[in-house]
């Protein structure tokens, strides 16, 4: 089955009792059992819910994995991965990544004596140099949030597996439509389904996919034991959003290419970050690793922080907001919003300055997006 077909059908048989085409919202916390140990596969809804099962099966199919696990947020999914580690373990992460992920590593995992080393996202050799005797996993975001650098998944996975390390790829920015990390050697794929997967900015959620049975059993155990699961209505909304993932991603990308090209020529723009631009340092890797360049575009504005504030207040179609991946266009100021939890010196050393703006390009008519950018930047 091809991607767009799987997005609509995988894990979603018509309901056995009524024939309902849409997977029902099983709004229940528990299930009647016939006798001791005799049930229909569901006992208690933290452990399992058929609406959630459909979502997990669908996303697993889209990522080319054997198992999916849904969580109450992207961060809850991240915490589940970190439960594979023990006190004293070490992980390696790319240095450009979602601010909340950095906060989880530093402010929560650090307290449990799990240390993280950060390496320049695109420098493959640096990942090997950072390996210690107690390293257990390598955590990648590609493209990265918010600077849109790429990591060569295959090359890092090859290094990791030589050292018996797991490779996690946060595939939130790309979506499985443009990139399937498991096929490139990753062991676990992570999504904030809040973003492209759901696509309509009305649910917070997360998901993990793997094809490693042992890893799956550990994650599944943690999902039930810790309990940060999505409710059935959120699972259902996300499943409904996924049905249009293929068409949405094509339009996000078409619009993003036009916006990136427009900004690259704009006199008030210092620099544009978009892997689809030939001038992007990872453009060739993007062509090899992804089947499209995605819908996220960041740029450095020529001016001061006060000018940036002025610009974000002027947008009429773009909304000034955190998050990304919805059908509507958003503009975000990473330094004070999504990446505010990274200390300033560290942020700026990584290139995340006060004049950086990040655009999540929606699927509105692109002429309206270009006109809005033109008037806001004027
Ligand atoms: O927000 P939540 O669903 O918990 O997902 C966290 C998360 C994980 N990974 C990446 C790459 C992310 O971008 C996020 C959340 N990011 C934003 C809210 C943002 O605006 O960047």
């Amino acid at each position: 089955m091809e991607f767009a077909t799987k997005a609509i059908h995988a894990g979603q048989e018509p309901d056995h009792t009524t024939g309902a085409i849409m997977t029902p919202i099983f709004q229940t916390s528990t299930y009647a059992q016939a006798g001791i140990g005799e049930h229909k596969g569901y006992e208690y809804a933290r452990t399992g819910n058929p609406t959630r099962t459909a979502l997990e099966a669908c996303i697993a199919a889209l990522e080319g994995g054997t198992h999916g696990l849904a969580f109450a947020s992207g961060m809850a999914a991240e915490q589940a991965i970190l439960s594979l580690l023990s006190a004293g373990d070490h992980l390696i992460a790319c240095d450009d990544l979602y601010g909340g992920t950095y906060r989880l590593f530093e402010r929560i995992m650090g307290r449990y004596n799990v240390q993280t080393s950060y390496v320049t996202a695109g420098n493959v050799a640096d990942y090997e140099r950072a390996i210690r005797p107690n390293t257990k996993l390598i955590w990648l975001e590609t493209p990265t949030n918010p600077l849109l650098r790429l990591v060569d998944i295959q090359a890092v996975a090859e290094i990791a597996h030589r050292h018996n390390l797991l490779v996690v790829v946060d595939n939130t920015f790309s979506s499985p439509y443009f990139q399937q990390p498991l096929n490139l050697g990753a062991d676990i794929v992570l999504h904030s389904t809040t973003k492209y997967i759901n696509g309509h900015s009305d649910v917070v959620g997360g998901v993990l996919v793997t094809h490693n049975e042992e890893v799956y059993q550990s994650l599944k155990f943690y999902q039930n034991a810790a309990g940060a699961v999505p409710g059935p209505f959120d699972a259902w909304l996300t499943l409904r959003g996924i049905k249009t993932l293929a068409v949405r991603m094509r339009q996000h990308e078409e619009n993003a290419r036009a916006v990136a090209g427009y900004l690259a020529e704009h006199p008030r723009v210092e620099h544009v970050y978009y892997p689809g631009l030939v001038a992007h340092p990872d453009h060739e890797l993007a062509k090899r690793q992804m089947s499209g360049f995605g819908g996220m575009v960041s740029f450095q504005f020529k001016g001061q922080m006060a000018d940036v504030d002025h610009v974000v207040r002027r947008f009429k179609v773009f909304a000034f907001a955190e998050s990304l991946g919805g059908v509507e266009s958003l503009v975000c100021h990473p330094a004070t919003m999504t990446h505010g939890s990274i200390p300033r010196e560290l942020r700026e050393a990584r290139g995340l300055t006060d004049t950086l703006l990040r655009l999540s390009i929606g699927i509105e008519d692109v002429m309206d997006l270009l006109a809005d950018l033109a008037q806001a930047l004027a």
Side-chain angles (χ1 to χ4, degrees):
M1 247 193 246
E2 297 301 319
F3 188 94
T5 315
K6 283 192 240 176
I8 293 166
H9 295 288
Q12 300 163 79
E13 294 287 309
D15 178 51
H16 295 304
T17 52
T18 62
I21 288 292
M22 289 301 295
T23 305
I25 303 166
F26 286 91
Q27 194 72 41
T28 185
S29 60
T30 191
Y31 309 85
Q33 306 186 29
I36 293 173
E38 195 186 332
H39 54 76
K40 298 181 167 133
Y42 294 94
E43 300 151 82
Y44 183 61
R46 168 161 37 75
T47 320
N49 177 287
T51 317
R52 191 173 98 212
T53 303
L55 170 63
E56 294 174 333
C58 184
I59 187 81
L62 296 182
E63 285 287 1
T66 46
H67 299 289
L69 289 164
F71 293 86
S73 67
M75 295 315 301
E78 294 192 11
Q79 182 66 68
I81 296 172
L82 294 169
S83 78
L84 300 172
L85 306 180
S86 302
D89 285 347
H90 171 249
L91 72 135
I92 299 167
C94 54
D95 64 351
D96 188 38
L97 79 179
Y98 172 54
T101 304
Y102 174 86
R103 182 174 57 195
L104 178 62
F105 290 165
E106 295 301 310
R107 306 265 310 266
I108 309 284
M109 297 311 289
R111 279 181 19 228
Y112 292 89
N113 194 26
V114 171
Q115 305 298 331
T116 307
S117 298
Y118 301 90
V119 304
T120 306
N123 292 1
V124 170
D126 289 358
Y127 291 89
E128 187 147 36
R129 273 194 281 276
I131 295 172
R132 300 177 189 169
N134 57 341
T135 306
K136 290 290 156 55
L137 64 83
I138 299 183
W139 187 293
L140 307 177
E141 240 182 52
T142 178
T144 62
N145 181 3
L147 292 170
L148 297 155
R149 290 302 306 261
L150 264 64
V151 187
D152 187 333
I153 298 171
Q154 213 158 6
V156 173
E158 194 266 320
I159 292 168
H161 294 155
R162 244 192 294 120
H163 294 269
N164 282 321
L165 312 180
L166 292 174
V167 177
V168 174
V169 175
D170 185 332
N171 203 24
T172 298
F173 264 40
S174 178
S175 94
Y177 183 69
F178 287 133
Q179 173 174 279
Q180 291 159 12
L182 296 180
N183 296 333
L184 298 167
D187 301 289
I188 304 171
V189 171
L190 149 73
H191 281 280
S192 165
T193 54
T194 315
K195 315 294 168 11
Y196 289 111
I197 299 283
N198 175 57
H200 295 75
S201 306
D202 49 14
V203 179
V204 170
V207 75
L208 300 178
V209 181
T210 184
H211 45 28
N212 178 322
E213 186 63 32
E214 194 186 331
V215 166
Y216 168 70
Q217 290 304 337
S218 300
L219 294 171
K220 170 82 190 149
F221 174 82
Y222 181 85
Q223 182 198 41
N224 180 53
V229 293
F233 184 55
D234 282 1
W236 182 86
L237 275 173
T238 307
L239 205 48
R240 185 169 80 153
I242 289 179
K243 288 181 191 290
T244 54
L245 184 62
V247 283
R248 282 188 286 109
M249 292 316 295
R250 284 198 286 269
Q251 196 60 48
H252 281 297
E253 195 207 28
E254 192 180 313
N255 288 359
R257 280 184 189 231
V259 167
Y262 171 77
L263 292 174
E265 302 293 322
H266 200 286
R268 300 302 305 272
V269 172
E270 189 80 51
H271 189 79
V272 182
Y273 306 86
Y274 183 63
L277 292 175
V278 178
H280 188 285
D282 304 318
H283 181 65
E284 289 307 315
L285 173 59
K287 285 202 289 191
R288 208 166 66 236
Q289 177 162 284
M290 303 169 72
S291 58
F293 305 110
M296 298 299 295
V297 180
S298 295
F299 67 98
Q300 293 285 354
F301 182 73
K302 229 181 246 174
Q304 307 299 315
M305 173 98 150
D307 304 324
V308 176
D309 184 47
H310 191 62
V311 168
V312 298
R313 288 170 191 273
R314 287 172 60 94
F315 281 106
K316 294 189 169 70
V317 179
F318 283 81
F320 182 48
E322 307 210 16
S323 203
L324 59 114
V327 290
E328 64 290 302
S329 292
L330 302 178
V331 55
C332 154
H333 184 242
T336 55
M337 297 165 92
T338 51
H339 294 71
S341 52
I342 303 178
R344 173 183 285 275
E345 320 77 66
L346 202 58
R347 218 168 53 215
E348 295 193 341
R350 292 170 180 178
L352 204 170
T353 63
D354 284 349
T355 50
L356 184 82
L357 287 174
R358 189 192 74 184
L359 304 176
S360 173
I361 305 300
I363 63 171
E364 301 96 335
D365 191 299
V366 73
M367 297 315 288
D368 289 322
L369 300 182
L370 296 177
D372 199 31
L373 281 162
Q375 67 78 24
L377 292 172

